[in-house]
Amino acid sequence: MSELGRHLKEARLQKGMSLDDVQEVTKIRKKYLEAIEAGDYKVLPGSFYVRAFIKTYAEAVGVNPDELMEEHGNVPAAPVDTTMETVIQKRSRRTETERNAKWLPTVLMWTFPVLIIAVIYWYASSNMNKSDPETVDSSNVTNEQQDPSKIQPSPTAVGGGIVSNSPSGGDSTATATASPTIAPTATPVPSPTAGPVTVTEDRKSGKTTIFKVTASSGTPVEVKIAATGTSWLEVYKGENSKGEKLSFGNTAAGDSLSFPLGAEGLYIKSGYSPATTITVNGQEITDGKTSSRLLLELDSGASGGAEGTENPAGNENTGE
């Protein structure tokens, strides 16, 4: 194994990552990753891919690729593509005048039809907006012929409506009274009070430490992960890494993640536990290891005691 490969492998193990994890992050095949750790660069497709793969591998495990290359100078250098340089030089010789001369006829060919269409549209729009001055509204002529002194305004009743004249010729006043509408009063439904949440270490299964989270029915349980540095972090919904993936990748200082805990449980894997602080409703949990694998199981069986605590008289049953 080469010194460079040993350096990368130690960094990978420190983050608690397997070659399969690195393969999923970098999209580099596992056999190439094994060849880099062993220093067998002949397995890789070419010298260009050697440096590119090493750089990608180093970034995935948190190692500075430039410092790594400088420290281990036995990495093959990428060949210079002389064919591409020749093509670039030939293309750069074309002058700006030649390129403009190529596009000028096309631009002129499309400019004239666009101008003609714009002029026709403007002319048609201006003709449609003109109104005929000789056209007179017949309703206005009828209103002008009426004698304004004979037009009596209709009396308006208080509260709206029209008051008609009485047969005796006297004026009658009608008052419209709006009856108030009383909206039915809704009876408020009390919301369930959130009970306390307790977290206890229950058992261990292989490398996984299982915590039992006890909460009353309807009490929300929130799991927060605060990062103070770089650590490989995986979070899954369920009992192991085969569940729904919620988070996957390296953390950075200041990162804060939050996940609700449901009946299916929550599986957390931290490659470097000192850089990640895990709390359940404010209660910190840890297995005391450098690389942690934690499983949180929700136990809401105690919720039965919170329900049905009212006696027939409507008072709370204190259990005395």
Side-chain angles (χ1 to χ4, degrees):
M1 178 181 292
S2 64
E3 291 297 328
L4 185 145
R6 183 179 292 106
H7 191 164
L8 291 175
K9 184 176 181 180
E10 291 176 355
R12 173 175 63 80
L13 294 177
Q14 183 179 0
K15 288 185 171 295
M17 298 174 64
S18 64
L19 286 174
D20 293 328
D21 295 333
V22 179
Q23 177 181 245
E24 184 172 354
V25 174
T26 61
K27 308 306 179 185
I28 299 175
R29 296 174 62 180
K30 184 177 179 180
K31 71 173 187 176
Y32 294 150
L33 299 175
E34 293 174 344
I36 291 174
E37 290 187 352
D40 187 10
Y41 302 137
K42 295 180 181 179
V43 178
L44 276 71
S47 56
F48 171 79
Y49 292 96
V50 174
R51 299 181 69 87
F53 285 178
I54 291 175
K55 180 179 180 181
T56 305
Y57 188 167
E59 291 175 347
V61 296
V63 177
N64 190 318
D66 296 331
E67 295 179 359
L68 182 68
M69 295 291 188
E70 184 177 354
E71 181 179 354
H72 306 281
N74 57 347
V75 181
V80 179
D81 192 351
T82 56
T83 304
M84 182 60 68
E85 291 181 355
T86 305
V87 173
I88 294 174
Q89 290 177 359
K90 288 182 179 181
R91 292 183 176 178
S92 63
R93 292 175 183 174
R94 297 178 61 185
T95 62
E96 190 71 22
T97 305
E98 292 176 351
R99 289 195 291 268
N100 293 338
K102 178 181 178 180
W103 290 101
L104 185 58
T106 304
V107 174
L108 293 176
M109 180 180 66
W110 286 101
T111 301
F112 287 108
V114 171
L115 290 176
I116 293 173
I117 293 174
V119 171
I120 294 175
Y121 178 80
W122 173 81
Y123 182 79
S125 300
S126 61
N127 287 340
M128 291 177 62
N129 293 332
K130 291 181 179 179
S131 59
D132 188 1
E134 296 180 358
T135 304
V136 181
D137 190 355
S138 58
S139 61
N140 293 336
V141 175
T142 305
N143 292 335
E144 291 176 356
Q145 293 177 354
Q146 295 179 357
D147 187 358
S149 61
K150 296 181 179 181
I151 299 177
Q152 297 293 336
S154 299
T156 303
V158 178
I162 304 299
V163 179
S164 60
N165 294 329
S166 60
S168 60
D171 295 335
S172 62
T173 303
T175 304
T177 305
S179 59
T181 302
I182 302 175
T185 304
T187 303
V189 179
S191 58
T193 304
V197 177
T198 58
V199 184
T200 56
E201 183 176 336
D202 187 58
R203 63 190 185 278
K204 293 185 181 291
S205 176
K207 296 181 180 181
T208 302
T209 303
I210 303 173
F211 289 86
K212 185 73 68 176
V213 181
T214 305
S216 302
S217 178
T219 299
V221 180
E222 184 179 22
V223 180
K224 291 186 177 181
I225 304 175
T228 58
T230 302
S231 173
W232 180 259
L233 181 67
E234 300 179 25
V235 182
Y236 300 89
K237 181 185 293 186
E239 299 180 353
N240 49 44
S241 59
K242 296 181 180 180
E244 179 185 349
K245 185 185 297 182
L246 302 178
S247 179
F248 190 87
N250 282 321
T251 63
D255 288 350
S256 179
L257 305 175
S258 179
F259 308 95
L261 178 61
E264 64 276 3
L266 204 66
Y267 179 73
I268 304 173
K269 177 181 177 182
S270 177
Y272 186 57
S273 301
T276 54
T277 302
I278 304 173
T279 59
V280 180
N281 277 35
Q283 305 177 49
E284 183 176 353
I285 60 171
T286 179
D287 58 358
K289 300 179 182 178
T290 304
S291 179
S292 300
R293 297 169 187 257
L294 309 177
L295 173 60
L296 303 177
E297 293 183 345
L298 181 61
D299 182 13
S300 59
S303 62
E307 297 177 358
T309 58
E310 295 183 359
N311 55 27
N315 298 325
E316 293 184 357
N317 184 9
T318 59
E320 295 181 357

PDB file of all heavy atoms in Angstrom, residues 169-202:
ATOM      1  N   GLY A 169    -102.979  60.528  -2.024  1.00  0.00           N
ATOM      2  CA  GLY A 169    -102.141  61.648  -2.467  1.00  0.00           C
ATOM      3  C   GLY A 169    -101.143  62.058  -1.435  1.00  0.00           C
ATOM      4  O   GLY A 169    -100.298  62.899  -1.716  1.00  0.00           O
ATOM      5  N   GLY A 170    -101.259  61.554  -0.169  1.00  0.00           N
ATOM      6  CA  GLY A 170    -100.304  61.933   0.868  1.00  0.00           C
ATOM      7  C   GLY A 170     -99.028  61.139   0.719  1.00  0.00           C
ATOM      8  O   GLY A 170     -98.991  60.080   0.093  1.00  0.00           O
ATOM      9  N   ASP A 171     -97.991  61.647   1.309  1.00  0.00           N
ATOM     10  CA  ASP A 171     -96.708  60.945   1.264  1.00  0.00           C
ATOM     11  C   ASP A 171     -96.656  59.956   2.414  1.00  0.00           C
ATOM     12  O   ASP A 171     -96.992  60.283   3.540  1.00  0.00           O
ATOM     13  CB  ASP A 171     -95.540  61.935   1.401  1.00  0.00           C
ATOM     14  CG  ASP A 171     -95.487  62.876   0.209  1.00  0.00           C
ATOM     15  OD1 ASP A 171     -95.998  62.460  -0.845  1.00  0.00           O
ATOM     16  OD2 ASP A 171     -94.938  63.994   0.345  1.00  0.00           O
ATOM     17  N   SER A 172     -96.278  58.801   2.118  1.00  0.00           N
ATOM     18  CA  SER A 172     -96.110  57.768   3.150  1.00  0.00           C
ATOM     19  C   SER A 172     -94.643  57.451   3.276  1.00  0.00           C
ATOM     20  O   SER A 172     -93.915  57.398   2.289  1.00  0.00           O
ATOM     21  CB  SER A 172     -96.905  56.508   2.785  1.00  0.00           C
ATOM     22  OG  SER A 172     -96.421  55.965   1.583  1.00  0.00           O
ATOM     23  N   THR A 173     -94.253  57.288   4.491  1.00  0.00           N
ATOM     24  CA  THR A 173     -92.839  57.016   4.748  1.00  0.00           C
ATOM     25  C   THR A 173     -92.704  55.584   5.231  1.00  0.00           C
ATOM     26  O   THR A 173     -93.384  55.190   6.180  1.00  0.00           O
ATOM     27  CB  THR A 173     -92.298  57.962   5.824  1.00  0.00           C
ATOM     28  OG1 THR A 173     -92.522  59.305   5.395  1.00  0.00           O
ATOM     29  CG2 THR A 173     -90.808  57.726   6.045  1.00  0.00           C
ATOM     30  N   ALA A 174     -91.866  54.835   4.534  1.00  0.00           N
ATOM     31  CA  ALA A 174     -91.632  53.434   4.906  1.00  0.00           C
ATOM     32  C   ALA A 174     -90.217  53.312   5.426  1.00  0.00           C
ATOM     33  O   ALA A 174     -89.285  53.835   4.830  1.00  0.00           O
ATOM     34  CB  ALA A 174     -91.830  52.509   3.697  1.00  0.00           C
ATOM     35  N   THR A 175     -90.111  52.676   6.525  1.00  0.00           N
ATOM     36  CA  THR A 175     -88.790  52.495   7.141  1.00  0.00           C
ATOM     37  C   THR A 175     -88.433  51.019   7.107  1.00  0.00           C
ATOM     38  O   THR A 175     -89.187  50.184   7.581  1.00  0.00           O
ATOM     39  CB  THR A 175     -88.804  52.977   8.596  1.00  0.00           C
ATOM     40  OG1 THR A 175     -89.230  54.342   8.618  1.00  0.00           O
ATOM     41  CG2 THR A 175     -87.418  52.839   9.229  1.00  0.00           C
ATOM     42  N   ALA A 176     -87.290  50.745   6.494  1.00  0.00           N
ATOM     43  CA  ALA A 176     -86.823  49.348   6.416  1.00  0.00           C
ATOM     44  C   ALA A 176     -85.908  49.093   7.579  1.00  0.00           C
ATOM     45  O   ALA A 176     -84.920  49.789   7.761  1.00  0.00           O
ATOM     46  CB  ALA A 176     -86.083  49.095   5.100  1.00  0.00           C
ATOM     47  N   THR A 177     -86.296  48.150   8.395  1.00  0.00           N
ATOM     48  CA  THR A 177     -85.496  47.820   9.575  1.00  0.00           C
ATOM     49  C   THR A 177     -84.848  46.465   9.359  1.00  0.00           C
ATOM     50  O   THR A 177     -85.544  45.477   9.117  1.00  0.00           O
ATOM     51  CB  THR A 177     -86.369  47.768  10.827  1.00  0.00           C
ATOM     52  OG1 THR A 177     -87.059  49.008  10.942  1.00  0.00           O
ATOM     53  CG2 THR A 177     -85.512  47.502  12.072  1.00  0.00           C
ATOM     54  N   ALA A 178     -83.554  46.468   9.439  1.00  0.00           N
ATOM     55  CA  ALA A 178     -82.819  45.211   9.233  1.00  0.00           C
ATOM     56  C   ALA A 178     -82.769  44.457  10.537  1.00  0.00           C
ATOM     57  O   ALA A 178     -82.394  45.011  11.565  1.00  0.00           O
ATOM     58  CB  ALA A 178     -81.397  45.488   8.735  1.00  0.00           C
ATOM     59  N   SER A 179     -83.205  43.218  10.512  1.00  0.00           N
ATOM     60  CA  SER A 179     -83.161  42.401  11.722  1.00  0.00           C
ATOM     61  C   SER A 179     -81.754  41.868  11.916  1.00  0.00           C
ATOM     62  O   SER A 179     -81.126  41.391  10.984  1.00  0.00           O
ATOM     63  CB  SER A 179     -84.139  41.232  11.598  1.00  0.00           C
ATOM     64  OG  SER A 179     -83.805  40.442  10.484  1.00  0.00           O
ATOM     65  N   PRO A 180     -81.240  42.000  13.140  1.00  0.00           N
ATOM     66  CA  PRO A 180     -79.875  41.538  13.368  1.00  0.00           C
ATOM     67  C   PRO A 180     -79.779  40.029  13.285  1.00  0.00           C
ATOM     68  O   PRO A 180     -80.693  39.314  13.662  1.00  0.00           O
ATOM     69  CB  PRO A 180     -79.557  42.037  14.785  1.00  0.00           C
ATOM     70  CG  PRO A 180     -80.907  42.129  15.443  1.00  0.00           C
ATOM     71  CD  PRO A 180     -81.870  42.524  14.369  1.00  0.00           C
ATOM     72  N   THR A 181     -78.673  39.580  12.758  1.00  0.00           N
ATOM     73  CA  THR A 181     -78.420  38.139  12.642  1.00  0.00           C
ATOM     74  C   THR A 181     -77.440  37.736  13.721  1.00  0.00           C
ATOM     75  O   THR A 181     -76.351  38.305  13.824  1.00  0.00           O
ATOM     76  CB  THR A 181     -77.827  37.801  11.261  1.00  0.00           C
ATOM     77  OG1 THR A 181     -78.750  38.251  10.265  1.00  0.00           O
ATOM     78  CG2 THR A 181     -77.580  36.305  11.127  1.00  0.00           C
ATOM     79  N   ILE A 182     -77.806  36.775  14.519  1.00  0.00           N
ATOM     80  CA  ILE A 182     -76.970  36.334  15.627  1.00  0.00           C
ATOM     81  C   ILE A 182     -76.282  35.047  15.210  1.00  0.00           C
ATOM     82  O   ILE A 182     -76.942  34.057  14.883  1.00  0.00           O
ATOM     83  CB  ILE A 182     -77.798  36.105  16.899  1.00  0.00           C
ATOM     84  CG1 ILE A 182     -78.526  37.403  17.289  1.00  0.00           C
ATOM     85  CG2 ILE A 182     -76.929  35.594  18.047  1.00  0.00           C
ATOM     86  CD1 ILE A 182     -79.454  37.249  18.458  1.00  0.00           C
ATOM     87  N   ALA A 183     -74.961  35.100  15.155  1.00  0.00           N
ATOM     88  CA  ALA A 183     -74.197  33.911  14.767  1.00  0.00           C
ATOM     89  C   ALA A 183     -74.132  32.950  15.934  1.00  0.00           C
ATOM     90  O   ALA A 183     -73.980  33.364  17.076  1.00  0.00           O
ATOM     91  CB  ALA A 183     -72.785  34.306  14.344  1.00  0.00           C
ATOM     92  N   PRO A 184     -74.278  31.665  15.665  1.00  0.00           N
ATOM     93  CA  PRO A 184     -74.208  30.688  16.761  1.00  0.00           C
ATOM     94  C   PRO A 184     -72.813  30.669  17.361  1.00  0.00           C
ATOM     95  O   PRO A 184     -71.809  30.808  16.666  1.00  0.00           O
ATOM     96  CB  PRO A 184     -74.522  29.351  16.068  1.00  0.00           C
ATOM     97  CG  PRO A 184     -74.181  29.576  14.634  1.00  0.00           C
ATOM     98  CD  PRO A 184     -74.479  31.025  14.372  1.00  0.00           C
ATOM     99  N   THR A 185     -72.775  30.532  18.663  1.00  0.00           N
ATOM    100  CA  THR A 185     -71.493  30.514  19.377  1.00  0.00           C
ATOM    101  C   THR A 185     -70.930  29.107  19.360  1.00  0.00           C
ATOM    102  O   THR A 185     -71.594  28.154  19.780  1.00  0.00           O
ATOM    103  CB  THR A 185     -71.679  30.976  20.828  1.00  0.00           C
ATOM    104  OG1 THR A 185     -72.277  32.272  20.822  1.00  0.00           O
ATOM    105  CG2 THR A 185     -70.342  31.026  21.571  1.00  0.00           C
ATOM    106  N   ALA A 186     -69.705  28.970  18.825  1.00  0.00           N
ATOM    107  CA  ALA A 186     -69.077  27.662  18.741  1.00  0.00           C
ATOM    108  C   ALA A 186     -68.450  27.309  20.073  1.00  0.00           C
ATOM    109  O   ALA A 186     -67.825  28.146  20.713  1.00  0.00           O
ATOM    110  CB  ALA A 186     -68.007  27.649  17.649  1.00  0.00           C
ATOM    111  N   THR A 187     -68.644  26.077  20.487  1.00  0.00           N
ATOM    112  CA  THR A 187     -68.058  25.619  21.749  1.00  0.00           C
ATOM    113  C   THR A 187     -66.618  25.235  21.520  1.00  0.00           C
ATOM    114  O   THR A 187     -66.329  24.384  20.674  1.00  0.00           O
ATOM    115  CB  THR A 187     -68.830  24.408  22.277  1.00  0.00           C
ATOM    116  OG1 THR A 187     -70.203  24.758  22.417  1.00  0.00           O
ATOM    117  CG2 THR A 187     -68.251  23.944  23.615  1.00  0.00           C
ATOM    118  N   PRO A 188     -65.654  25.888  22.170  1.00  0.00           N
ATOM    119  CA  PRO A 188     -64.245  25.563  21.932  1.00  0.00           C
ATOM    120  C   PRO A 188     -63.927  24.161  22.402  1.00  0.00           C
ATOM    121  O   PRO A 188     -64.410  23.709  23.435  1.00  0.00           O
ATOM    122  CB  PRO A 188     -63.483  26.625  22.745  1.00  0.00           C
ATOM    123  CG  PRO A 188     -64.446  27.033  23.817  1.00  0.00           C
ATOM    124  CD  PRO A 188     -65.813  26.925  23.207  1.00  0.00           C
ATOM    125  N   VAL A 189     -63.110  23.475  21.595  1.00  0.00           N
ATOM    126  CA  VAL A 189     -62.672  22.119  21.936  1.00  0.00           C
ATOM    127  C   VAL A 189     -61.282  22.212  22.517  1.00  0.00           C
ATOM    128  O   VAL A 189     -60.365  22.718  21.857  1.00  0.00           O
ATOM    129  CB  VAL A 189     -62.658  21.218  20.683  1.00  0.00           C
ATOM    130  CG1 VAL A 189     -62.179  19.813  21.056  1.00  0.00           C
ATOM    131  CG2 VAL A 189     -64.035  21.187  20.063  1.00  0.00           C
ATOM    132  N   PRO A 190     -61.071  21.809  23.722  1.00  0.00           N
ATOM    133  CA  PRO A 190     -59.735  21.931  24.329  1.00  0.00           C
ATOM    134  C   PRO A 190     -58.740  21.039  23.615  1.00  0.00           C
ATOM    135  O   PRO A 190     -59.049  19.905  23.253  1.00  0.00           O
ATOM    136  CB  PRO A 190     -59.965  21.474  25.777  1.00  0.00           C
ATOM    137  CG  PRO A 190     -61.186  20.612  25.721  1.00  0.00           C
ATOM    138  CD  PRO A 190     -62.040  21.162  24.627  1.00  0.00           C
ATOM    139  N   SER A 191     -57.536  21.585  23.356  1.00  0.00           N
ATOM    140  CA  SER A 191     -56.486  20.817  22.701  1.00  0.00           C
ATOM    141  C   SER A 191     -55.760  19.998  23.744  1.00  0.00           C
ATOM    142  O   SER A 191     -55.624  20.400  24.892  1.00  0.00           O
ATOM    143  CB  SER A 191     -55.490  21.764  22.024  1.00  0.00           C
ATOM    144  OG  SER A 191     -54.940  22.640  22.966  1.00  0.00           O
ATOM    145  N   PRO A 192     -55.265  18.814  23.348  1.00  0.00           N
ATOM    146  CA  PRO A 192     -54.579  17.959  24.316  1.00  0.00           C
ATOM    147  C   PRO A 192     -53.300  18.616  24.795  1.00  0.00           C
ATOM    148  O   PRO A 192     -52.558  19.223  24.046  1.00  0.00           O
ATOM    149  CB  PRO A 192     -54.290  16.687  23.507  1.00  0.00           C
ATOM    150  CG  PRO A 192     -54.333  17.119  22.082  1.00  0.00           C
ATOM    151  CD  PRO A 192     -55.328  18.231  22.016  1.00  0.00           C
ATOM    152  N   THR A 193     -53.029  18.491  26.089  1.00  0.00           N
ATOM    153  CA  THR A 193     -51.830  19.076  26.670  1.00  0.00           C
ATOM    154  C   THR A 193     -50.640  18.141  26.450  1.00  0.00           C
ATOM    155  O   THR A 193     -50.737  16.940  26.709  1.00  0.00           O
ATOM    156  CB  THR A 193     -52.030  19.314  28.167  1.00  0.00           C
ATOM    157  OG1 THR A 193     -53.178  20.135  28.341  1.00  0.00           O
ATOM    158  CG2 THR A 193     -50.811  19.998  28.780  1.00  0.00           C
ATOM    159  N   ALA A 194     -49.536  18.679  25.931  1.00  0.00           N
ATOM    160  CA  ALA A 194     -48.356  17.876  25.673  1.00  0.00           C
ATOM    161  C   ALA A 194     -47.737  17.432  26.982  1.00  0.00           C
ATOM    162  O   ALA A 194     -47.507  18.239  27.883  1.00  0.00           O
ATOM    163  CB  ALA A 194     -47.347  18.686  24.862  1.00  0.00           C
ATOM    164  N   GLY A 195     -47.499  16.125  27.106  1.00  0.00           N
ATOM    165  CA  GLY A 195     -46.922  15.593  28.324  1.00  0.00           C
ATOM    166  C   GLY A 195     -45.406  15.579  28.250  1.00  0.00           C
ATOM    167  O   GLY A 195     -44.801  15.954  27.248  1.00  0.00           O
ATOM    168  N   PRO A 196     -44.753  15.133  29.339  1.00  0.00           N
ATOM    169  CA  PRO A 196     -43.294  15.087  29.357  1.00  0.00           C
ATOM    170  C   PRO A 196     -42.762  13.983  28.446  1.00  0.00           C
ATOM    171  O   PRO A 196     -43.440  12.999  28.172  1.00  0.00           O
ATOM    172  CB  PRO A 196     -42.978  14.810  30.829  1.00  0.00           C
ATOM    173  CG  PRO A 196     -44.194  14.098  31.341  1.00  0.00           C
ATOM    174  CD  PRO A 196     -45.350  14.687  30.603  1.00  0.00           C
ATOM    175  N   VAL A 197     -41.538  14.164  27.976  1.00  0.00           N
ATOM    176  CA  VAL A 197     -40.854  13.190  27.116  1.00  0.00           C
ATOM    177  C   VAL A 197     -39.616  12.710  27.854  1.00  0.00           C
ATOM    178  O   VAL A 197     -38.794  13.515  28.298  1.00  0.00           O
ATOM    179  CB  VAL A 197     -40.461  13.814  25.762  1.00  0.00           C
ATOM    180  CG1 VAL A 197     -39.685  12.816  24.927  1.00  0.00           C
ATOM    181  CG2 VAL A 197     -41.703  14.274  25.009  1.00  0.00           C
ATOM    182  N   THR A 198     -39.482  11.397  28.006  1.00  0.00           N
ATOM    183  CA  THR A 198     -38.317  10.818  28.674  1.00  0.00           C
ATOM    184  C   THR A 198     -37.549   9.950  27.692  1.00  0.00           C
ATOM    185  O   THR A 198     -38.144   9.254  26.858  1.00  0.00           O
ATOM    186  CB  THR A 198     -38.751   9.972  29.889  1.00  0.00           C
ATOM    187  OG1 THR A 198     -39.648   8.921  29.435  1.00  0.00           O
ATOM    188  CG2 THR A 198     -39.456  10.816  30.922  1.00  0.00           C
ATOM    189  N   VAL A 199     -36.219   9.996  27.804  1.00  0.00           N
ATOM    190  CA  VAL A 199     -35.335   9.227  26.916  1.00  0.00           C
ATOM    191  C   VAL A 199     -34.431   8.370  27.792  1.00  0.00           C
ATOM    192  O   VAL A 199     -33.736   8.891  28.676  1.00  0.00           O
ATOM    193  CB  VAL A 199     -34.487  10.152  26.026  1.00  0.00           C
ATOM    194  CG1 VAL A 199     -33.655   9.334  25.053  1.00  0.00           C
ATOM    195  CG2 VAL A 199     -35.383  11.127  25.266  1.00  0.00           C
ATOM    196  N   THR A 200     -34.436   7.064  27.554  1.00  0.00           N
ATOM    197  CA  THR A 200     -33.599   6.145  28.327  1.00  0.00           C
ATOM    198  C   THR A 200     -32.894   5.191  27.381  1.00  0.00           C
ATOM    199  O   THR A 200     -33.456   4.789  26.346  1.00  0.00           O
ATOM    200  CB  THR A 200     -34.451   5.342  29.331  1.00  0.00           C
ATOM    201  OG1 THR A 200     -35.508   4.663  28.617  1.00  0.00           O
ATOM    202  CG2 THR A 200     -35.060   6.242  30.378  1.00  0.00           C
ATOM    203  N   GLU A 201     -31.643   4.839  27.722  1.00  0.00           N
ATOM    204  CA  GLU A 201     -30.905   3.842  26.941  1.00  0.00           C
ATOM    205  C   GLU A 201     -31.475   2.467  27.262  1.00  0.00           C
ATOM    206  O   GLU A 201     -31.443   2.020  28.404  1.00  0.00           O
ATOM    207  CB  GLU A 201     -29.419   3.917  27.263  1.00  0.00           C
ATOM    208  CG  GLU A 201     -28.584   2.954  26.425  1.00  0.00           C
ATOM    209  CD  GLU A 201     -27.091   3.105  26.679  1.00  0.00           C
ATOM    210  OE1 GLU A 201     -26.672   4.197  27.112  1.00  0.00           O
ATOM    211  OE2 GLU A 201     -26.360   2.125  26.453  1.00  0.00           O
ATOM    212  N   ASP A 202     -31.998   1.775  26.252  1.00  0.00           N
ATOM    213  CA  ASP A 202     -32.740   0.537  26.477  1.00  0.00           C
ATOM    214  C   ASP A 202     -31.849  -0.706  26.325  1.00  0.00           C
ATOM    215  O   ASP A 202     -31.803  -1.553  27.202  1.00  0.00           O
ATOM    216  CB  ASP A 202     -33.924   0.470  25.514  1.00  0.00           C
ATOM    217  CG  ASP A 202     -34.835  -0.707  25.798  1.00  0.00           C
ATOM    218  OD1 ASP A 202     -35.345  -0.799  26.920  1.00  0.00           O
ATOM    219  OD2 ASP A 202     -35.013  -1.549  24.890  1.00  0.00           O
TER     220      ASP A 202
END
